[in-house]
Amino acid sequence: MHGIGGWTDAQIINAIQHGVDHAGNHLYPAFPYASYNKAELQDLVDLVAFWRTLPVSDVPSQPHEVGLPFSIRRAVGLWKLMFASDDFVIQGDLTAEQTRGRYLVEALGHCAECHTPRNMLGGLSRDRWLSGAPNPSGEGRIPNITPGALTWSEGEIAEYLKSGFTPEFDTAGGSMAEVVKNTGQLSDADRAAIAAYLKIVLEVATAPAAP
Ligand code: HEC
């Protein structure tokens, strides 16, 4: 058995929340545990239970290539101390719906891993939360979805997350098409919660494109 199939549930959940593998090694943050560390234990237990229903794969785990500073695995421990905060970014008096949306966006949906710019060490810039970022694939930019830039109504945002259609009847493209395959399976209430949360995110102007 390859991959994580032979790990215990506790080992898998520890990896998801703390980025540590079954032998205690730090995992690279290409695995977005700095988002998943905010997930609730019961949701992770359910997730692992679902994975256990999937057929066993005989493909060996692939080695991965990561750039500096992460080619030194031990540097990842320091990185975690600096960037893997388990506090939610948006704080304050939230309604139940906004709180649910915050959980879906900041933890399970890990939306910020794409939509938030990173500092030089690859940590998410919490003060530029969801304000857009260079596309890791190298092409174009991932859009700013803070309220000033994303002017769609909550209903329009929810529809986009359901069907992928924008109010202009474009369709979600690039890596967002994959995200919509998932958000499309959420309940209407959860999509509405995400939209409600996006409306209370701090408005940040789109950064000018790098020269
Ligand atoms: C894997 C990277 C990735 C993740 C994760 C991601 N997005 Fe996106 N998102 C994109 C890209 C790329 C686009 C641009 C799509 C296009 O050009 O059609 C986009 C577009 C959007 C748009 C439309 C913005 C516009 O002005 O057209 C919204 C709204 C959005 N994302 C919300 C979310 C939410 C909410 C989540 C979390 C549930 C999320 N995204 C997670 C990559 C991502």
Side-chain angles (χ1 to χ4, degrees):
M1 197 181 309
H2 301 283
I4 59 172
W7 298 16
T8 65
D9 289 7
Q11 286 169 336
I12 296 176
I13 289 172
N14 199 34
I16 297 173
Q17 290 210 295
H18 305 298
V20 175
D21 76 6
H22 60 309
N25 298 311
H26 291 302
L27 295 165
Y28 294 114
F31 177 31
Y33 48 77
S35 293
Y36 296 151
N37 62 2
K38 297 165 204 73
E40 281 161 25
L41 189 57
Q42 186 61 52
D43 285 337
L44 297 177
V45 170
D46 294 348
L47 179 66
V48 173
F50 166 74
W51 281 341
R52 300 261 185 233
T53 68
L54 300 176
V56 172
S57 160
D58 55 8
V59 180
S61 304
Q62 304 296 308
H64 41 218
E65 290 170 18
V66 291
L68 276 168
F70 299 125
S71 42
I72 311 162
R73 191 179 280 274
R74 285 171 56 197
V76 176
L78 181 61
W79 185 93
K80 284 185 192 170
L81 284 177
M82 293 169 72
F83 302 121
S85 165
D86 53 11
D87 289 338
F88 285 108
V89 174
I90 302 300
Q91 298 285 345
D93 232 354
L94 272 61
T95 64
E97 187 182 44
Q98 290 160 350
T99 304
R100 174 72 182 161
R102 177 176 71 174
Y103 179 59
L104 293 170
V105 170
E106 293 196 22
L108 298 186
H110 64 285
C111 314
E113 300 279 344
C114 288
H115 282 279
T116 297
R118 289 172 190 274
N119 59 32
M120 278 174 65
L121 289 175
L124 294 176
S125 302
R126 290 166 75 98
D127 56 347
R128 302 191 56 81
W129 194 243
L130 299 178
S131 68
N135 194 331
S137 79
E139 282 164 44
R141 280 185 66 83
I142 301 196
N144 182 345
I145 55 171
T146 69
L150 184 69
T151 53
W152 304 347
S153 70
E154 289 182 35
E156 287 166 341
I157 295 171
E159 179 57 38
Y160 178 79
L161 295 171
K162 181 175 189 175
S163 64
F165 281 115
T166 72
E168 297 83 36
F169 287 96
D170 271 338
T171 49
S175 46
M176 193 60 198
E178 288 301 315
V179 175
V180 169
K181 275 189 205 157
N182 291 283
T183 55
Q185 296 179 51
L186 294 175
S187 65
D188 286 335
D190 277 348
R191 282 186 293 262
I194 292 176
Y197 166 87
L198 290 179
K199 289 294 175 190
I200 58 163
V201 167
L202 195 70
E203 195 169 316
V204 181
T206 307

